[in-house]
């Protein structure tokens, strides 16, 4: 009975393989999160730094406006938890919020999340080197008390405050490199890369004109599909061999 059992094991693996991951919907989709639209679409009135996504967005005009506000209703997050954040630093966090809320091309990196405020998150989105480095360089003279801004805050006042025992420090003491900042600040939502904007292998937070991230998402989705196809082929061959032995 050992051989039939092995055959059924491989057959079950084939049936359970996530074929849905091949779906082209991942090229144009919104996360199941707090402020995201159900489906992406045109939003002609997106505000200021969110405007590049107006042709196809997962955010509403209201969300885009709130992304520019301190302590906005989006998350009640206080950028000024260690004194007033510099304008040049804050512009990157606004752009980060626009990217997160508005981008319809994050499908390859969307993962399930077990949070009270969202059912999905992004993980290891490959950021272009220029975007990560400029973000870090424009914030390196600012101050913060935490390296992971996703959790661990004191929310008793309704907005985030530094937790007990956490001291405000120079940005470069908390984040010694651009990579440490980009990867740690939002629980590995982003991945530091050495890819530049002309590589077609990294996601751009800052862009004008046609959204360049469409082709980047397509590249990674196709790359994942090729890997899955190879795995299915291997499993199929294994099944054929096992069947020939029965």
């Amino acid at each position: 009975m050992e051989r039939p059992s092995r055959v059924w094991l491989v057959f079950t693996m084939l049936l359970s393989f996530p074929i849905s991951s091949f779906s082209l919907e991942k090229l144009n989709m919104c996360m199941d999160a707090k402020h995201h639209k159900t489906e992406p679409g045109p939003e002609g009135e997106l505000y200021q730094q969110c405007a590049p996504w107006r042709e196809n967005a997962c955010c509403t005009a209201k969300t885009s406006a709130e992304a520019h506000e301190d302590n906005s209703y989006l998350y009640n997050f206080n950028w000024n938890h260690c004194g007033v954040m510099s304008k040049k630093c804050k512009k990157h966090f606004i752009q980060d919020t626009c990217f997160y809320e508005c981008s319809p091309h994050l499908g390859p990196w969307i993962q399930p999340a077990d949070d009270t405020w969202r059912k999905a998150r992004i993980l290891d989105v490959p950021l272009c080197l220029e975007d990560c480095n400029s973000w870090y360089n424009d914030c390196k003279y600012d101050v913060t008390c935490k390296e992971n801004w996703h959790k661990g805050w004191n929310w008793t006042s309704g907005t985030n405050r530094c937790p007990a025992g956490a001291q405000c420090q120079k940005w470069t003491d908390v984040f010694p490199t651009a990579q440490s900042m980009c990867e740690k600040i939002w629980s590995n939502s982003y991945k530091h890369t050495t890819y530049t904007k002309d590589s077609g292998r990294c996601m751009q937070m800052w862009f004008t004109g046609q959204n360049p991230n469409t082709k980047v998402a397509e590249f990674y989705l196709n790359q994942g599909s090729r890997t899955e196809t190879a795995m299915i082929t291997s499993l199929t061959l294994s099944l054929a061999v096992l069947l020939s032995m029965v």
Side-chain angles (χ1 to χ4, degrees):
M1 295 297 294
E2 182 180 355
R3 288 177 180 173
S5 296
R6 291 168 65 188
V7 171
W8 278 109
L9 175 61
V10 177
F11 184 66
T12 301
M13 292 173 67
L14 283 170
L15 288 179
S16 63
F17 203 81
I19 302 298
S20 60
S21 62
F22 287 97
S23 175
L24 292 178
E25 292 179 0
K26 284 194 173 184
L27 288 176
N28 190 47
M29 66 178 292
C30 299
M31 275 184 286
D32 187 358
K34 189 173 183 180
H35 300 292
H36 288 73
K37 292 159 50 176
T38 304
E39 295 180 354
E43 290 286 342
E45 300 301 321
L46 292 188
Y47 190 66
Q48 292 186 8
Q49 288 180 227
C50 294
W53 287 271
R54 61 183 176 271
E55 297 298 327
N56 191 32
C58 286
C59 61
T60 63
K62 185 176 182 181
T63 296
S64 73
E66 285 293 326
H68 293 73
E69 298 294 329
D70 292 340
N71 299 332
S72 78
Y73 82 91
L74 294 181
Y75 303 101
N76 293 322
F77 197 90
N78 178 24
W79 306 118
N80 305 318
H81 52 269
C82 277
V84 179
M85 180 181 282
S86 68
K87 290 183 178 179
K88 65 179 182 179
C89 180
K90 188 175 295 183
K91 72 178 183 180
H92 289 279
F93 283 97
I94 294 172
Q95 195 72 10
D96 162 50
T97 303
C98 289
F99 179 76
Y100 173 79
E101 299 289 348
C102 301
S103 179
H105 304 309
L106 295 172
W109 304 280
I110 293 177
Q111 301 287 330
D114 186 20
D115 297 315
T116 57
W117 51 281
R118 62 180 181 180
K119 295 182 180 179
R121 62 160 297 184
I122 49 175
L123 182 66
D124 292 334
V125 175
L127 281 189
C128 290
L129 182 64
E130 300 96 328
D131 284 355
C132 183
N133 285 354
S134 63
W135 187 357
Y136 182 73
N137 288 332
D138 283 344
C139 292
K140 66 182 180 182
Y141 297 112
D142 281 82
V143 182
T144 185
C145 59
K146 282 174 52 57
E147 69 173 13
N148 189 336
W149 287 15
H150 256 154
K151 56 186 179 181
W153 297 99
N154 177 353
W155 288 95
T156 55
S157 66
T159 61
N160 58 300
R161 292 183 178 178
C162 295
Q167 297 182 345
C168 293
Q169 304 176 64
K170 291 191 302 182
W171 198 269
T172 50
D173 288 340
V174 178
F175 304 111
T177 64
Q179 179 175 357
S180 65
M181 184 203 74
C182 290
E183 294 185 349
K184 291 181 178 180
I185 199 164
W186 297 128
S187 303
N188 297 108
S189 293
Y190 301 127
K191 183 178 181 180
H192 177 272
T193 76
T194 56
Y195 293 127
T196 56
K197 290 187 175 184
D198 59 359
S199 68
R201 300 293 182 266
C202 58
M203 299 292 279
Q204 298 183 35
M205 282 188 178
W206 297 87
F207 64 89
T208 57
Q210 186 175 0
N211 192 332
N213 295 324
T214 309
K215 292 183 178 179
V216 178
E218 184 175 5
F219 168 79
Y220 283 98
L221 186 60
N222 288 338
Q223 187 180 59
S225 296
R226 286 194 294 270
T227 300
E228 291 171 350
T229 299
M231 291 176 67
I232 289 178
T233 301
S234 178
L235 287 171
T236 302
L237 291 173
S238 297
L239 179 59
V241 171
L242 289 171
L243 284 173
S244 70
M245 297 170 62
V246 175

